Amino acid sequence: MRQLSDEDLAHILDQDIFHKISAAADGLGVECYVVGGYVRDLFLERPSNDIDVVVVGSGIAVAQELKRMLGRRAHLSVFRNFGTAQVKVREHGRQAAPDAAPAEVEIEFVGARRESYSHDSRKPHVEDGTLEDDQNRRDFTINALAVCLNQSRFGQLVDPFDGLWDLEDGIIRTPLDPDITFSDDPLRMMRCIRFATQLNFSIEDETFEALERNAHRIKIISGERIQEELNKIMMTPTPSKGFVDLQRCGLLQLIMPEVAALDIVETRNGRAHKNNFYHTLEVVDNVARNSQYLWLRWAALLHDVGKTRSKRWDPLVGWTFHNHNIIGAKMVPELFRRLKLPMDAKMKYVQKLVDLHMRPIVIADEEVTDSAVRRLMNDAGDDIDDLMTLCEADITSRNEVRKARFRENFRMVREKLTDLKEKDYKRLLQPVIDGNEIMEMFHLKPSREVGLLKQALKDAVLDNRVANERQPLMQLLVSKAREMGLVMEAEE
């Protein structure tokens, strides 16, 4: 965090857009402040193009005056029901290259207000207020910082809750009583953990205890709002930090009980299984180091979600989790539906990776055969690289010898996959004789017999027993058909 005086802030804000806002506010005779995340990020040296401005008076009026001053450079949107306005400004001076499109800055204007809440809703009753009222309603001290834009006090910081100290100490804390803050708007609990994860901050003890006391209030928040925060946690460099906090305060068992249920270790006859919750988070962090793809990270979070339901005790071998991948894959749609996550190809992608995640591990734990790799490539298709990334992240054994063997075998699997790709694996793995031709040859309609014949050809190709060429496949097809008592058109 950098130290900034009021003079430093005035220098940083010495930009055309802030002077235009200043002139608009002064012209209307109202106080005007840039607040919240933009100010916080100035101190943290994080880039931000989204600017929130609080006006002690009409935010809409200042936005309209700014639009008048900027002319065609700006686009104004007014939301009278909410008392807010947005101005999007094309900033030519921020172009990355002479021929690049102008950068766009979004400025949200709102009048200073005080809020009160009813117990069964996070929608507040709003009244006009002072800057102090507006800062009191902010979620966290680090988001309650305000810098004056009026010319007479340009660059002056207003920090009534010592948010700068919390920024310096890496602390998330509410400005007022955290029980009231979280009970009024329970989504702030998710935001609390999200900010702590994004910024790698700690949650102050009293604030965390209020999370525990108010966790049940999350039930009034929609799945859409919850998953927005979960996705932001998921896209941080170390998502495990957020999920540990969600579990510790009791929120995770309310929003994702299937994942929370993994946090258990059972011991029988002196034999314990590993804690699958913390193993899962280690896998998520491993994936996060290698991929920015949100849905691959979701697949990592859910890859072992079926273990709670599949866990069995076998006196001969100890704890088992047979078919946990299949059970977990079946759980994915309901979890996505409840959290209002997309029920489209993204869900299918996560489901497929959860289902297949054991396959490369089984291959790597045994002899790496061409046949097994070809079948894996066929089943994973275009997602094979993501599947391998997930499975390599799943190697969390503390046994260094076993870990080294897995890594060497995974290297061999990747080499064979690369070789298949170079040979156009889609053409190689799909038999040149398809179902339509089989039906025509044997006068069949779509049926079990057609499926068996197609599978016989596919198995032969995948096992590399027969070249994927018409003549050898035709010989195999005729032989298999005769076994099944089918007659070709030419034999009639």
Side-chain angles (χ1 to χ4, degrees), residues 305-365:
V305 74
K307 280 192 169 180
T308 303
R309 298 183 185 179
S310 65
K311 183 169 66 176
R312 300 289 183 274
W313 169 257
D314 184 331
L316 298 179
V317 298
W319 294 103
T320 66
F321 303 92
H322 295 314
N323 295 324
H324 74 272
N325 55 311
I326 298 172
I327 294 170
K330 291 178 179 177
M331 295 167 66
V332 169
E334 174 54 33
L335 191 149
F336 265 53
R337 190 174 294 111
R338 188 178 69 245
L339 288 175
K340 301 298 189 292
L341 289 161
M343 299 296 293
D344 56 13
K346 298 181 180 68
M347 185 278 288
K348 292 290 187 182
Y349 166 91
V350 172
Q351 189 176 34
K352 179 166 81 169
L353 263 58
V354 171
D355 186 19
L356 293 178
H357 82 271
M358 291 300 294
R359 289 274 295 280
I361 293 173
V362 171
I363 294 173
D365 202 23

Side-chain angles (χ1 to χ4, degrees), residues 9 13 32-35 39 145-149 154-158:
L9 288 169
L13 298 178
C32 184
Y33 301 84
V34 60
V35 298
V39 180
L145 302 168
V147 178
C148 187
L149 294 179
F154 193 83
Q156 182 177 324
L157 178 68
V158 183

Side-chain angles (χ1 to χ4, degrees), residues 227-406:
Q227 59 106 334
E228 286 176 11
E229 296 299 324
L230 285 174
N231 285 341
K232 290 175 181 176
I233 291 171
M234 195 74 83
M235 289 308 296
T236 61
T238 311
S240 63
K241 175 175 169 53
F243 283 96
V244 168
D245 282 344
L246 287 170
Q247 179 75 335
R248 286 175 55 226
C249 73
L251 279 170
L252 193 64
Q253 60 194 4
L254 295 172
I255 59 180
M256 295 181 69
E258 304 91 337
V259 176
L262 295 170
D263 188 10
I264 187 172
V265 175
E266 286 193 61
T267 303
R268 190 174 294 187
N269 295 346
R271 301 176 73 173
H273 62 77
K274 65 186 174 186
N275 185 304
N276 287 303
F277 177 72
Y278 287 98
H279 160 74
T280 291
L281 297 188
E282 188 174 352
V283 175
V284 174
D285 285 350
N286 288 343
V287 166
R289 280 191 285 272
N290 292 289
S291 175
Q292 290 296 310
Y293 188 44
L294 171 63
W295 305 108
L296 179 53
R297 296 184 183 202
W298 269 102
L301 183 69
L302 301 181
H303 81 284
D304 275 351
V305 74
K307 280 192 169 180
T308 303
R309 298 183 185 179
S310 65
K311 183 169 66 176
R312 300 289 183 274
W313 169 257
D314 184 331
L316 298 179
V317 298
W319 294 103
T320 66
F321 303 92
H322 295 314
N323 295 324
H324 74 272
N325 55 311
I326 298 172
I327 294 170
K330 291 178 179 177
M331 295 167 66
V332 169
E334 174 54 33
L335 191 149
F336 265 53
R337 190 174 294 111
R338 188 178 69 245
L339 288 175
K340 301 298 189 292
L341 289 161
M343 299 296 293
D344 56 13
K346 298 181 180 68
M347 185 278 288
K348 292 290 187 182
Y349 166 91
V350 172
Q351 189 176 34
K352 179 166 81 169
L353 263 58
V354 171
D355 186 19
L356 293 178
H357 82 271
M358 291 300 294
R359 289 274 295 280
I361 293 173
V362 171
I363 294 173
D365 202 23
E366 300 171 354
E367 182 183 355
V368 181
T369 65
D370 288 350
S371 173
V373 174
R374 290 164 73 92
R375 286 181 174 275
L376 177 65
M377 174 77 85
N378 177 74
D379 292 341
D382 292 336
D383 300 319
I384 184 64
D385 289 332
D386 286 353
L387 178 62
M388 291 300 296
T389 297
L390 171 60
C391 292
E392 287 171 339
D394 201 11
I395 305 172
T396 63
S397 172
R398 298 296 178 260
N399 184 325
E400 292 300 324
V401 174
R402 178 174 169 80
K403 187 183 291 187
R405 179 167 60 82
F406 265 111

